[in-house]
């Protein structure tokens, strides 16, 4: 009887084939991979999880450089490169997840019924075994954004860790099936969004800050620095059969035409009465809000002469300009 292959392939640092660049490195990995890198202090461990989404490469590029140049970590380091299959599916680095599968970062909740759930459980098992003092999960946003971190708690250690990467912290309280939700509350687990997928500044930031993360002798010996903190964010979603476009002018066969510059509003406070796009005559029925206590769209937005308009001051973040992401995930997050 043929054995089921492991969900995570283990590779030794000295046995890696890097090739010419990070794409060659990815092709040589072939499958989801765990790499343990010995550090100076073997009594402690830190962890980097990257490529949960196959089209978000800044973390992968940074990890490739860290390993290729033999940067010596202060503690033992575990690197998990997750959605290798989705990232390699042609065209390369274009798929958040494979078309016939679910979003990997929504698969960390039971039941364990798919290969992605099995991979998620393998990742958690490996992290639980190593008990890292900090875990950083690397991502890119689908549109322009300042870098920011996401956690499920607001603690001093979370803030100290965030300070390495960003000046913005989002504290989530929604159950979505993400890696973060499986974190050990004794040690900080942090998602870091380095910036847009195609932004070279995001690649540079990922490399520089991950070098700081793995080489710092201590992560928690200095007080946290001031940062913008957003609590209890809500998700503005659209119903499955809504037709959405992004444009600088209205698209008449669309239910929703969002401004194609909405990503410029990420982490900006916008006032009541700010238009975000155009609506078809049936207006707000194409939207829904997730999070909070059965929040209604009408509490925050209105149809003002055909414009989708804010009813109160809001701070937006993760506003996408990608209609696929808008359909499969959400339009944006916001806090009142």
């Amino acid at each position: 009887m043929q054995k089921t292959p492991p969900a995570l392939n283990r590779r030794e640092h000295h046995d890696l084939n890097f090739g010419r660049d990070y794409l060659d490195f990815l092709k040589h990995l072939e499958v989801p991979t765990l790499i343990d890198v010995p550090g100076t202090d073997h009594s402690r461990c830190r962890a980097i999880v990257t490529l949960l989404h196959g089209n978000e490469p800044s973390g992968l590029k940074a990890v490739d450089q860290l390993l290729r140049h033999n940067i010596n970590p202060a503690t033992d380091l575990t690197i998990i490169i997750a959605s290798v299959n989705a990232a390699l599916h042609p065209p390369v680095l274009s798929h958040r997840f494979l078309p016939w599968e679910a979003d990997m970062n929504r698969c960390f909740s039971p039941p364990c019924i798919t290969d992605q759930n099995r991979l998620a459980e393998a990742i958690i098992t490996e992290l639980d075994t190593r008990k890292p003092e900090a875990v950083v999960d690397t991502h890119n946003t689908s549109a322009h954004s300042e870098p920011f971190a996401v956690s499920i708690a607001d603690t001093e250690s979370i803030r100290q860790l965030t300070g390495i990467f960003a000046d913005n912290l989002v504290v989530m309280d929604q159950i979505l099936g993400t890696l973060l939700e499986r974190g050990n509350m004794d040690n900080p687990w942090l998602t870091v969004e380095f910036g847009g997928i195609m932004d070279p500044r995001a690649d540079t930031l990922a490399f520089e800050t991950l070098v700081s993360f793995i080489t710092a002798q201590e992560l928690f010996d200095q007080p946290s620095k001031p940062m913008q903190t957003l609590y209890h964010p809500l998700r503005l979603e659209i119903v499955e059969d809504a037709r959405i476009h992004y444009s600088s002018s209205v698209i008449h066969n669309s239910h929703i035409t969002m401004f194609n510059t909405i990503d410029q509003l990420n982490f900006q406070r916008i006032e009541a009465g700010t238009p975000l796009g155009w609506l078809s005559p049936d207006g707000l029925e194409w939207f829904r809000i997730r999070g909070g206590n059965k929040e209604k769209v009408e509490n925050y937005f209105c149809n003002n002469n055909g414009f989708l308009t804010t009813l109160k001051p809001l701070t937006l973040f993760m506003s996408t300009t990608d209609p696929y992401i808008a359909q499969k995930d959400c339009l944006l997050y916001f806090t009142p």
Side-chain angles (χ1 to χ4, degrees):
M1 186 174 179
Q2 191 173 8
K3 270 188 168 183
T4 302
L8 262 178
N9 188 32
R10 295 194 189 193
R11 298 288 298 273
E12 297 294 332
H13 183 199
H14 59 77
D15 192 38
L16 293 172
N17 188 340
F18 292 103
R20 292 170 302 171
D21 56 20
Y22 68 95
L23 287 177
D24 267 1
F25 174 52
L26 190 65
K27 290 171 185 175
H28 286 301
L29 293 181
E30 294 185 329
V31 294
T33 301
L34 180 147
I35 304 162
D36 279 320
V37 183
T40 303
D41 182 352
H42 300 306
S43 69
R44 296 181 292 152
C45 174
R46 296 169 192 167
I48 299 170
V49 179
T50 192
L51 221 62
L52 281 180
H53 292 143
N55 65 335
E56 300 177 9
S58 287
L60 169 69
K61 293 176 183 179
V63 162
D64 171 68
Q65 292 300 309
L66 293 174
L67 295 171
R68 192 181 292 267
H69 296 302
N70 289 307
I71 294 176
N72 187 44
T75 71
D76 286 349
L77 175 66
T78 294
I79 297 171
I80 295 173
I81 305 173
S83 294
V84 176
N85 313 51
L88 289 175
H89 190 74
V92 175
L93 297 176
S94 66
H95 296 275
R96 183 180 173 94
F97 49 90
L98 293 174
W100 54 89
E101 293 183 337
D103 186 327
M104 182 66 208
N105 207 26
R106 301 293 182 268
C107 292
F108 286 88
S109 297
C112 188
I113 55 176
T114 68
D115 287 344
Q116 286 173 294
N117 294 131
R118 194 161 68 93
L119 174 57
E121 289 306 311
I123 290 171
I124 296 302
T125 298
E126 297 289 356
L127 292 176
D128 285 347
T129 299
R130 287 160 177 75
K131 297 180 171 54
E133 64 181 15
V135 177
V136 173
D137 170 31
T138 75
H139 287 264
N140 291 100
T141 53
S142 61
H144 169 79
S145 177
E146 295 179 40
F148 64 99
V150 184
S151 72
I152 60 168
D154 183 9
T155 64
E156 179 63 9
S157 61
I158 286 285
R159 288 174 169 270
Q160 288 165 315
L161 188 58
T162 297
I164 296 174
F165 299 99
D167 297 323
N168 301 293
L169 173 64
V170 177
V171 183
M172 295 287 287
D173 55 3
Q174 298 187 33
I175 305 301
L176 299 172
T178 65
L179 171 71
L180 274 188
E181 293 161 34
R182 300 291 297 276
N184 181 338
M185 295 303 291
D186 294 333
N187 299 313
W189 290 36
L190 197 68
T191 288
V192 180
E193 301 273 0
F194 288 106
I197 288 171
M198 297 301 176
D199 189 345
R201 292 171 298 180
D203 298 342
T204 300
L205 180 68
F207 176 70
E208 291 177 350
T209 56
L210 287 173
V211 167
S212 297
F213 170 65
I214 71 169
T215 60
Q217 293 303 312
E218 299 293 339
L219 296 174
F220 310 113
D221 60 344
Q222 297 295 322
S224 59
K225 63 181 185 181
M227 60 189 65
Q228 177 178 217
T229 309
L230 303 179
Y231 297 97
H232 312 303
L234 303 174
R235 286 163 55 97
L236 182 62
E237 302 177 345
I238 59 176
V239 298
E240 289 181 8
D241 55 348
R243 294 192 303 273
I244 181 169
H245 292 83
Y246 289 83
S247 179
S248 59
S249 58
V250 70
I251 306 295
H252 288 290
N253 66 346
S254 180
H255 296 127
I256 305 160
T257 306
M258 298 296 289
F259 297 157
N260 58 7
T261 54
I262 191 171
D263 57 333
Q264 302 298 318
L265 299 178
N266 283 325
F267 287 98
Q268 304 298 316
R269 182 182 186 273
I270 59 174
E271 299 300 327
T274 301
L276 303 177
W278 293 276
L279 298 174
S280 59
D282 31 19
L284 298 181
E285 71 176 56
W286 302 105
F287 297 90
R288 63 190 176 205
I289 288 178
R290 180 184 294 201
N293 196 9
K294 294 185 177 178
E295 296 279 4
K296 294 181 178 179
V297 175
E298 293 83 1
N299 291 342
Y300 301 97
F301 304 96
C302 68
N303 184 349
N304 183 13
N305 294 314
F307 285 98
L308 174 65
T309 304
T310 58
L311 276 177
K312 56 184 69 174
L314 304 174
T315 300
L316 309 184
F317 66 98
M318 287 192 78
S319 304
T320 187
T321 54
D322 184 336
Y324 181 81
I325 298 295
Q327 286 276 7
K328 296 294 185 180
D329 193 36
C330 71
L331 280 169
L332 54 85
Y333 287 78
F334 68 94
T335 56

